[in-house]
Amino acid sequence: MNYEKYLDIAPEVAEAVKNGNPVVALESTIISHGMPYPQNVETALNVEQVIRDNGAVPATIAIIGGRLKAGLSKDQIEYLGKTGQAVTKVSRRDLPLIVARGMDGATTVATTMIIAAMAGIPIFATGGIGGVHRGAQQTFDISADLEELAMTPVTVVCAGAKAILDLPLTLEYLETKGVPVLGYQTDELAAFYSRHSGLKVDYQVDSPEDLARAIFVKRELGLQGGILVSNPIPEEYSMDREVIDKAIDQAIREAEEKGIHGKETTPFLLARIKDITGGDSLDSNIQLVYNNAALAAKTAVALSAL
Ligand code: PSU
Ligand code: MN
């Protein structure tokens, strides 16, 4: 392995990692493909501030000119947000070609985990993860994020998963792959825009310290793979489930009619849901990302103290 020569760790991030100080990684597909401009850039910059306010150093991850970046400048975040869907969405399988060709890439949860692990960052905050799509029995559409969680030692803090996925099958898949799924202050899986999915997670954790101990022990035991933390959206931003479920159903029908598939599916569904809800879903989406960033930063602080 010789990945160091492709990796640029921002000085502030490298210093914190070296000293065992708290760092939180952030993904960039959510910037280029998950939200519209300019809210995507505004959110990405605010998320970094939330992490700082909670005592950790943010490291937004992306690929710029073929370089793996852990820690971006404001200008680079602005560029990824403004360029939007024209930036390649990079999951694990895309990584070699994008780097070999010196291209730019927005990193998914899977790729962000890979680069975070290379940079020595154990925890990462995002909105939602990819999972087993509805109809996967026919389409085989299962996000590479799940395989990555089984392989790469990074804890991912998310707001559960959107009902664009088959949530029960996503949990089954994670169980098969040996990925702990932990609920923050609840034993119910969060459903992204709403707090409730009606499904149980493996364990409830009640504090950042509780979570940090689980991460620490998993590492000490030498178990491969990550941990998935489901952190419900704050009550005041939670959406009406009927409204959001209807929008999701409509978006999925449209995707089927248009023959959308592969890596286009998730960005298509996210954009359609935002339009169908008249943008209402975007505010919730932004708030849940801040909430996840705060929990990830507090956990990184607790982990540094162990
Ligand atoms: N789910 C969301 N918002 C997102 C994504 C998923 O609620 O922005 C993005 C993440 O970057 C995730 C990727 O890693 O979509 C999954 O894409 P796919 O389903 O093609 O694996
Ligand atoms: Mn997919």
Side-chain angles (χ1 to χ4, degrees):
M1 257 190 311
N2 205 5
Y3 57 76
E4 287 90 351
K5 70 186 215 205
Y6 302 98
L7 179 62
D8 296 330
I9 308 180
E12 186 192 14
V13 174
E15 181 74 12
V17 169
K18 192 179 91 202
N19 297 325
N21 291 334
V23 180
V24 174
L26 296 161
E27 62 151 311
S28 45
T29 291
I30 193 174
I31 305 175
S32 295
H33 297 260
M35 288 183 192
Y37 181 80
Q39 289 94 336
N40 54 3
V41 171
E42 203 181 291
T43 303
L45 296 175
N46 287 340
V47 170
E48 291 205 342
Q49 192 55 48
V50 170
I51 287 170
R52 289 186 194 284
D53 292 345
N54 285 280
V57 173
T60 302
I61 288 179
I63 303 162
I64 307 278
R67 303 289 302 169
L68 310 179
K69 299 280 186 189
L72 296 183
S73 67
K74 267 190 179 154
D75 285 350
Q76 288 168 331
I77 288 175
E78 170 73 25
Y79 163 75
L80 289 171
K82 204 165 193 172
T83 313
Q85 311 252 348
V87 180
T88 307
K89 173 180 163 186
V90 179
S91 198
R92 170 177 272 269
R93 59 100 188 252
D94 307 285
L95 202 45
L97 265 291
I98 297 300
V99 171
R101 293 183 174 171
M103 290 169 66
D104 299 328
T107 53
T108 62
V109 168
T111 316
T112 304
M113 289 177 74
I114 294 170
I115 298 172
M118 287 174 176
I121 304 168
I123 187 160
F124 154 32
T126 185
I129 60 159
V132 180
H133 277 263
R134 294 198 211 164
Q137 296 91 332
Q138 294 301 320
T139 63
F140 271 52
D141 190 351
I142 300 172
S143 175
D145 291 353
L146 299 185
E147 293 292 330
E148 208 59 52
L149 280 161
M151 265 190 284
T152 301
V154 175
T155 294
V156 179
V157 180
C158 70
K162 286 194 183 78
I164 61 172
L165 303 175
D166 186 317
L167 299 182
L169 289 190
T170 300
L171 286 181
E172 289 291 348
Y173 201 91
L174 289 166
E175 181 186 354
T176 300
K177 292 289 176 175
V179 178
V181 181
L182 309 181
Y184 188 67
Q185 296 181 342
T186 171
D187 67 350
E188 187 180 0
L189 179 73
F192 202 83
Y193 298 118
S194 87
R195 295 173 63 85
H196 304 291
S197 68
L199 297 166
K200 292 269 179 268
V201 297
D202 301 338
Y203 295 95
Q204 173 172 335
V205 290
D206 287 317
S207 64
E209 291 72 25
D210 196 11
L211 180 51
R213 277 190 296 274
I215 297 168
F216 183 80
V217 169
K218 182 168 172 300
R219 186 195 293 161
E220 297 254 286
L221 293 176
L223 296 172
Q224 65 170 3
I227 290 176
L228 185 65
V229 181
S230 165
N231 186 29
I233 184 172
E235 191 75 62
E236 63 266 42
Y237 303 111
S238 184
M239 288 183 74
D240 185 283
R241 236 180 114 181
E242 233 172 85
V243 172
I244 194 68
D245 284 351
K246 238 180 105 195
I248 289 169
D249 286 342
Q250 186 185 330
I252 289 175
R253 269 198 314 276
E254 289 181 19
E256 277 165 10
E257 280 159 24
K258 289 189 152 72
I260 306 281
H261 66 276
K263 69 196 281 188
E264 311 301 332
T265 302
T266 297
F268 176 86
L269 295 175
L270 298 181
R272 281 304 292 144
I273 291 163
K274 187 206 126 242
D275 290 343
I276 295 165
T277 61
D280 280 358
S281 61
L282 187 57
D283 196 37
S284 294
N285 196 347
I286 291 168
Q287 293 300 330
L288 66 83
V289 174
Y290 296 159
N291 189 49
N292 295 341
L295 176 58
K298 287 176 192 156
T299 304
V301 169
L303 192 57
S304 289
L306 291 176

